[in-house]
Amino acid sequence: MKVLIVGGGGREHAIATAVKKSPKVSKLYCAPGNAGIGQIAECVPIGVMEFDKMAEFAKEKAIDLVIVGPDDPLVGGIVDVLKAAGLKVFGPDKKAAILEGSKAFSKDLMKKYNIPSAEYETFEDPDKAIEYLKTASMPIVLKADGLALGKGVLICNTYEEACEGVKSIMMDKQFGSAGNKMVIEEFLEGREVSVLSFVDGKTIKIMSSAQDHKRAGDGDTGLNTGGMGNFSPSPFFTKEVEEFCNRNIFQATVDAMKSEGREFKGVIFFGLMLTAKGPKVLEFNARFGDPEAQVVLPRLENDIIDVFEACIDGTLDKIDLKFEDKAAVCVILASDGYPVKYEKGYPITGLENFEGKDDYFCFHSGTALKDDKVVTNGGRVLGVTAKAATLKEARAKAYEAVEWVDFDNKYMRHDIGRAIDEA
Ligand code: AMP
Ligand code: GLY
């Protein structure tokens, strides 16, 4: 069959690598892709928000399955446009992707269906938000309602800081129209765990858990980023936690979406905080996480095409989802200055060192080809993943492999997987 992946980051490279393993796939396209994806798929210069062009291309090539990676096109309704053109698509439609697209929606959904989450209020008027802050306890969390590249969350320690935050989100529109509305919520303390799942509208199957490192600097300092590295599974996602989530969060979310007439098919990513009062949902994403996909998918034992098709057809209950009994660690190699300001266009050397090494992966996030050479082309440049029997071994291998590649302004965190030592 012919498959088209929409997107061009590390997540899509990890998806493409999994898809490529399926004996069912005869031809793989990726739009727009990147230099790494280009080694295993044909990259097509169509942007992820060019829905009509994407549909036209997929029809012309008689694509059998389209897989949508990123949040923006999902929330914008790419699945609806592709489906209307008669294509088979993996990913939630616009009505369901609102689970990620609006924090106010997801908070109201959790409240209505008793899914554990932080206490909150929603505001459309900055003056009312500021009034509310006067009596709120600190720290407090401000969230722009819409998509903001994973950066629309501000944790404020004082009333003054929180007022500044409201001003920058709602009045200065730091995150654009994502800040037309905002959620102010209770600050939760605990350990964070990400859980990815496949969903077919009614059945949910959990993948392996992971822990992300969102801050730019060592020791969780600096600005929030899309993710600087992660590990999987999380030793803190114990059987007990999993059972609690199975009872109170996972199936409840799928059922809630169905009851609302927003049947969800695709990947739900649960961002959880393990608090003293039990696990609570920090956020939902309507897609694979990036870099979560880079530590979870390399261990998937099923043919990923079977899983995607079962989600679309509503037959996920028939799939026995299996992951290798191994751990994985991914360290992101970024351009120095990310997430604020960074340079691009530097040649990357040493990529060939990953060839033929089973337990090592070098996923491309922001790369491009320039005069036939692979160059840096984004804030996050590469995701170096290693698999091993234990988390500690996987971490040692990942930090060994980050030295195999080089480029000017190469930047990474040195403490990915630090929490492993506390487990
Ligand atoms: P989100 O995009 O909602 O996942 O938020 C980004 C990050 O902000 C999360 O990964 C947490 O580290 C932090 N965060 C979000 N909500 C809260 C909360 N209610 N309490 C504490 N930290 C939070
Ligand atoms: N790594 C977090 C995300 O993909 O949203």
Side-chain angles (χ1 to χ4, degrees):
M1 63 197 282
K2 294 187 201 167
V3 175
L4 166 65
I5 298 172
V6 175
R11 163 184 43 223
E12 288 74 28
H13 197 182
I15 296 172
T17 304
V19 166
K20 197 70 188 172
K21 285 203 310 208
S22 170
K24 297 187 173 139
V25 177
S26 54
K27 177 77 190 175
L28 179 58
Y29 296 95
C30 189
N34 63 35
I37 296 171
Q39 286 165 5
I40 53 173
E42 185 175 329
C43 294
V44 191
I46 302 175
V48 299
M49 297 307 282
E50 296 182 287
F51 300 172
D52 291 332
K53 255 175 134 175
M54 199 70 82
E56 211 174 289
F57 172 81
K59 291 292 281 181
E60 183 196 309
K61 296 291 181 191
I63 298 292
D64 300 292
L65 174 65
V66 186
I67 302 153
V68 184
D71 43 359
D72 278 320
L74 288 169
V75 170
I78 192 173
V79 172
D80 306 64
V81 173
L82 295 175
K83 272 191 184 164
L87 294 154
K88 195 166 179 176
V89 195
F90 177 78
D93 61 13
K94 188 173 182 174
K95 255 163 73 182
I98 192 173
L99 188 63
E100 171 165 7
S102 166
K103 304 253 188 215
F105 170 85
S106 72
K107 295 296 294 184
D108 292 346
L109 185 86
M110 289 190 275
K111 190 177 202 173
K112 182 167 171 191
Y113 293 91
N114 288 319
I115 298 166
S117 182
E119 295 295 326
Y120 74 104
E121 293 285 338
T122 304
F123 296 93
E124 287 181 56
D125 175 350
D127 292 334
K128 290 205 172 120
I130 286 173
E131 192 55 37
Y132 171 82
L133 288 172
K134 283 186 183 153
T135 53
S137 53
M138 300 290 146
I140 195 133
V141 183
L142 312 184
K143 298 186 171 183
D145 179 55
L147 292 181
L149 295 168
K151 292 166 197 143
V153 174
L154 304 177
I155 295 174
C156 304
N157 290 308
T158 61
Y159 168 74
E160 290 71 28
E161 229 180 87
C163 290
E164 277 304 305
V166 169
K167 189 169 163 288
S168 73
I169 292 176
M170 297 196 92
M171 293 155 84
D172 306 342
K173 295 281 156 83
Q174 190 190 346
F175 309 109
S177 59
N180 290 348
K181 232 193 227 183
M182 68 180 278
V183 167
I184 300 188
E185 71 174 34
E186 171 201 6
F187 176 76
L188 297 177
E189 277 177 284
R191 233 175 240 292
E192 277 187 67
V193 176
S194 307
V195 179
L196 304 187
S197 66
F198 288 108
V199 180
D200 73 351
K202 49 186 194 299
T203 301
I204 177 164
K205 296 252 165 146
I206 299 305
M207 296 180 230
S208 191
S209 61
Q211 184 174 329
D212 199 4
H213 297 63
K214 286 204 166 92
R215 308 288 286 273
D218 285 354
D220 288 329
T221 54
L223 293 173
N224 259 328
T225 69
M228 292 301 294
N230 61 6
F231 59 86
S232 171
S234 163
F236 306 101
F237 189 67
T238 58
K239 268 270 154 281
E240 198 187 357
V241 171
E242 185 170 352
E243 274 163 23
F244 177 94
C245 295
N246 281 337
R247 274 196 314 277
N248 300 293
I249 297 176
F250 299 149
Q251 189 67 49
T253 303
V254 176
D255 294 346
M257 289 299 279
K258 194 156 183 279
S259 302
E260 293 294 308
R262 297 174 182 275
E263 192 171 79
F264 193 105
K265 292 182 172 205
V267 169
I268 300 183
F269 167 138
F270 297 85
L272 304 173
M273 185 75 96
L274 309 182
T275 75
K277 291 189 193 149
K280 296 192 181 193
V281 177
L282 287 176
E283 64 156 350
F284 298 115
N285 293 318
R287 49 169 176 86
F288 288 103
D290 194 354
E292 285 78 358
Q294 302 181 45
V295 284
V296 171
L297 292 181
R299 289 150 51 228
L300 177 67
E301 288 184 356
N302 305 66
D303 182 328
I304 200 169
I305 296 294
D306 292 344
V307 183
F308 286 149
E309 289 192 314
C311 289
I312 296 167
D313 299 340
T315 54
L316 191 58
D317 56 329
K318 307 274 184 320
I319 296 277
D320 182 15
L321 198 63
K322 282 203 174 126
F323 287 86
E324 282 175 347
D325 187 17
K326 277 188 177 177
V329 172
C330 171
V331 178
I332 295 292
L333 301 183
S335 303
D336 197 9
Y338 172 72
V340 183
K341 192 165 174 275
Y342 47 83
E343 291 165 44
K344 304 182 198 176
Y346 294 115
I348 304 174
T349 56
L351 290 165
E352 66 285 354
N353 291 321
F354 286 85
E355 281 163 22
K357 295 206 177 73
D358 272 352
D359 283 347
Y360 296 88
F361 302 82
C362 184
F363 296 117
H364 291 226
S365 295
T367 68
L369 278 182
K370 196 166 113 193
D371 305 328
D372 279 340
K373 290 213 172 64
V374 181
V375 298
T376 64
N377 192 40
R380 292 191 290 181
V381 178
L382 300 169
V384 171
T385 295
K387 291 196 286 193
T390 66
L391 280 166
K392 281 187 183 166
E393 274 175 66
R395 179 176 59 185
K397 283 167 83 171
Y399 273 109
E400 171 201 345
V402 292
E403 301 303 333
W404 300 348
V405 276
D406 203 16
F407 53 87
D408 280 358
N409 292 355
K410 175 175 149 187
Y411 172 83
M412 71 184 124
R413 273 185 64 164
H414 300 89
D415 61 348
I416 301 301
R418 194 173 43 139
I420 296 166
D421 301 319
E422 296 157 22

